[in-house]
Amino acid sequence: MEIGIDSFAAAPADKDVSSAQAMGELIDRMVFADQIGLNVFGIGQHYRKDFLDSAPSMILAAAAARTENIILTSAVTVLSSSDPVREFQNYATLDLISQGRAEMVVGRGSFIESFPLFGFRLDDYDELFAEKLELLLQIRDEETVTWKGKFRAQLHKQSVYPRPMQEKLPIWLGVGGTPASFIRAGHLGLPLMVAIIGGETHRFRPLIDAYRKAGAEAGHSPESLKVGIHSLGYVGKTADIAIDTYYPGYAKMFTEIGKERGWPPVTKDRFDDQNSHYGSMVVGNPAEVAEKILRHSEALGGISRFTFQMDAGMNHEQLISAIELIGKEVIPLVNNTH
């Protein structure tokens, strides 16, 4: 199983830390993750004051020049409000810089700031994504493209360059809990990255079964229908250290986001419920975390990738400590048991 990190490049919570310093520390963490043996590092795409990741391919490219083995991916590219031609060019370029280590996870995004910023209507949310995904996949598969859609200028025998180093740039479909999104990924034969940030992980099994069924019916091999999950998590030397380190920033971040979305404030009881045996959150010591990752995998019928999202309000040293524990202890425990 591939194990890694997804970061949203959180803006510094400490007023004494500049955005430039925070960005430099993020890239240092990506380099360290490569050195310590993590398999993948993803950067999100947001257009909010809280995050510094509106241009993820730039961050990934900076890391690509300083790393050797780690897969570098978006997490996710908000394709609905992006241009598929430009995004393909960005990640093809990243693939060349990284010597064939680039991937994309594309999705509709859970925040909406990019829609008014780039002049798109929220009423077209799904239609935009479906059309742009179609174009992105055609560009990925064909060097010269003829295409016509509703939301973008048509292309007539237009070649798109550069081409990536990999023969076929890997593109995953990032999904939340919408059944149609799982089925769409199956029909297209795309690997599936499921963001599970609340509830009980095993409850996603029917959706993943629907993905695999749709993929099989469309003629795709089981090997091509890979499943990954992205979950909130953090690893400490002990469970108490992990919880005490992670909870304050998590509670602050999700309480603030909750004000926008009508969620109640985060409580410690709710956190403990999310971090319980069946809960989606993965916070604990290395043995507990490895056991829970394996339990999630079994509950979902087998996963090939797990990524931690652990930006919430922690400093560079705390995140480095968790990355070290993931590389030295969690990954061996998962893969020696898996």
Side-chain angles (χ1 to χ4, degrees), residues 83-85 135 138-139 144-149 152-160:
D83 179 30
V85 174
L135 176 55
Q138 188 173 342
I139 294 168
T144 301
V145 174
T146 295
W147 175 92
K148 184 176 182 180
R152 190 201 186 280
Q154 68 183 67
L155 300 172
H156 180 67
K157 295 183 179 179
Q158 183 69 54
S159 299
V160 179

Side-chain angles (χ1 to χ4, degrees), residues 175-307:
V175 299
T178 306
S181 296
F182 287 77
I183 293 169
R184 171 160 48 204
H187 284 156
L188 294 170
L190 297 176
L192 186 74
M193 178 56 70
V194 189
I196 305 179
I197 61 171
E200 297 177 333
T201 298
H202 68 270
R203 296 184 182 277
F204 282 76
R205 178 62 182 267
L207 295 170
I208 289 173
D209 286 346
Y211 158 71
R212 290 181 169 130
K213 180 182 178 184
E217 290 174 349
H220 301 293
S221 68
E223 295 75 26
S224 68
L225 301 173
K226 298 191 293 185
V227 175
I229 61 174
H230 156 109
S231 293
L232 299 166
Y234 182 76
V235 188
K237 291 181 179 178
T238 69
D240 287 343
I241 289 173
I243 292 167
D244 290 346
T245 303
Y246 187 78
Y247 175 72
Y250 164 82
K252 181 178 180 182
M253 176 180 289
F254 279 86
T255 295
E256 287 301 312
I257 293 172
K259 291 177 183 177
E260 302 174 16
R261 302 193 178 188
W263 301 341
V266 173
T267 65
K268 185 60 165 52
D269 286 345
R270 180 61 177 157
F271 172 86
D272 290 340
D273 182 57
Q274 290 293 299
N275 199 41
S276 64
H277 184 86
Y278 293 110
S280 62
M281 196 173 293
V282 184
V283 180
N285 65 43
E288 291 170 331
V289 165
E291 181 184 357
K292 196 166 191 182
I293 291 171
L294 289 168
R295 189 161 63 244
H296 285 342
S297 179
E298 183 178 2
L300 298 177
I303 64 172
S304 60
R305 179 177 292 182
F306 180 91
T307 57

Side-chain angles (χ1 to χ4, degrees), residues 13-301:
D14 185 342
K15 293 180 181 179
D16 293 330
V17 177
S18 68
S19 293
Q21 180 181 336
M23 187 65 77
E25 289 174 346
L26 169 60
I27 295 168
D28 287 345
R29 290 195 295 276
M30 298 171 77
V31 173
F32 182 67
D34 178 53
Q35 294 168 346
I36 209 73
L38 272 67
N39 305 111
V40 58
F41 209 111
I43 300 292
Q45 187 172 44
H46 299 83
Y47 299 87
R48 300 167 56 89
K49 187 176 182 179
D50 333 39
F51 306 116
L52 304 174
D53 62 348
S54 64
S57 61
M58 297 282 287
I59 301 171
L60 293 164
R66 294 177 54 192
T67 54
E68 296 180 358
N69 300 304
I70 199 165
I71 295 167
L72 299 168
T73 184
S74 57
V76 303
T77 298
V78 185
L79 194 60
S80 302
S81 55
S82 301
D83 179 30
V85 174
R86 199 65 180 132
E87 291 293 356
F88 179 83
Q89 292 170 325
N90 288 341
Y91 285 88
T93 302
L94 175 65
D95 202 51
L96 298 176
I97 295 169
S98 67
Q99 305 271 315
R101 292 182 283 124
E103 294 187 359
M104 298 179 73
V105 180
V106 301
R108 295 181 298 180
S110 60
F111 292 93
I112 61 172
E113 289 82 4
S114 62
F115 285 81
L117 185 63
F118 296 113
F120 295 106
R121 299 188 326 135
L122 274 175
D123 289 347
D124 299 324
Y125 185 77
D126 190 66
E127 195 177 359
L128 276 164
F129 181 73
E131 178 178 296
K132 292 186 175 190
L133 179 60
E134 175 192 88
L135 176 55
L136 178 66
L137 294 175
Q138 188 173 342
I139 294 168
R140 192 265 304 264
D141 296 340
E142 302 172 14
E143 187 171 326
T144 301
V145 174
T146 295
W147 175 92
K148 184 176 182 180
K150 178 179 176 182
F151 299 103
R152 190 201 186 280
Q154 68 183 67
L155 300 172
H156 180 67
K157 295 183 179 179
Q158 183 69 54
S159 299
V160 179
Y161 301 111
R163 305 307 295 179
M165 180 175 177
Q166 297 177 81
E167 183 177 347
K168 195 167 184 175
L169 185 72
I171 296 176
W172 297 59
L173 192 62
V175 299
T178 306
S181 296
F182 287 77
I183 293 169
R184 171 160 48 204
H187 284 156
L188 294 170
L190 297 176
L192 186 74
M193 178 56 70
V194 189
I196 305 179
I197 61 171
E200 297 177 333
T201 298
H202 68 270
R203 296 184 182 277
F204 282 76
R205 178 62 182 267
L207 295 170
I208 289 173
D209 286 346
Y211 158 71
R212 290 181 169 130
K213 180 182 178 184
E217 290 174 349
H220 301 293
S221 68
E223 295 75 26
S224 68
L225 301 173
K226 298 191 293 185
V227 175
I229 61 174
H230 156 109
S231 293
L232 299 166
Y234 182 76
V235 188
K237 291 181 179 178
T238 69
D240 287 343
I241 289 173
I243 292 167
D244 290 346
T245 303
Y246 187 78
Y247 175 72
Y250 164 82
K252 181 178 180 182
M253 176 180 289
F254 279 86
T255 295
E256 287 301 312
I257 293 172
K259 291 177 183 177
E260 302 174 16
R261 302 193 178 188
W263 301 341
V266 173
T267 65
K268 185 60 165 52
D269 286 345
R270 180 61 177 157
F271 172 86
D272 290 340
D273 182 57
Q274 290 293 299
N275 199 41
S276 64
H277 184 86
Y278 293 110
S280 62
M281 196 173 293
V282 184
V283 180
N285 65 43
E288 291 170 331
V289 165
E291 181 184 357
K292 196 166 191 182
I293 291 171
L294 289 168
R295 189 161 63 244
H296 285 342
S297 179
E298 183 178 2
L300 298 177

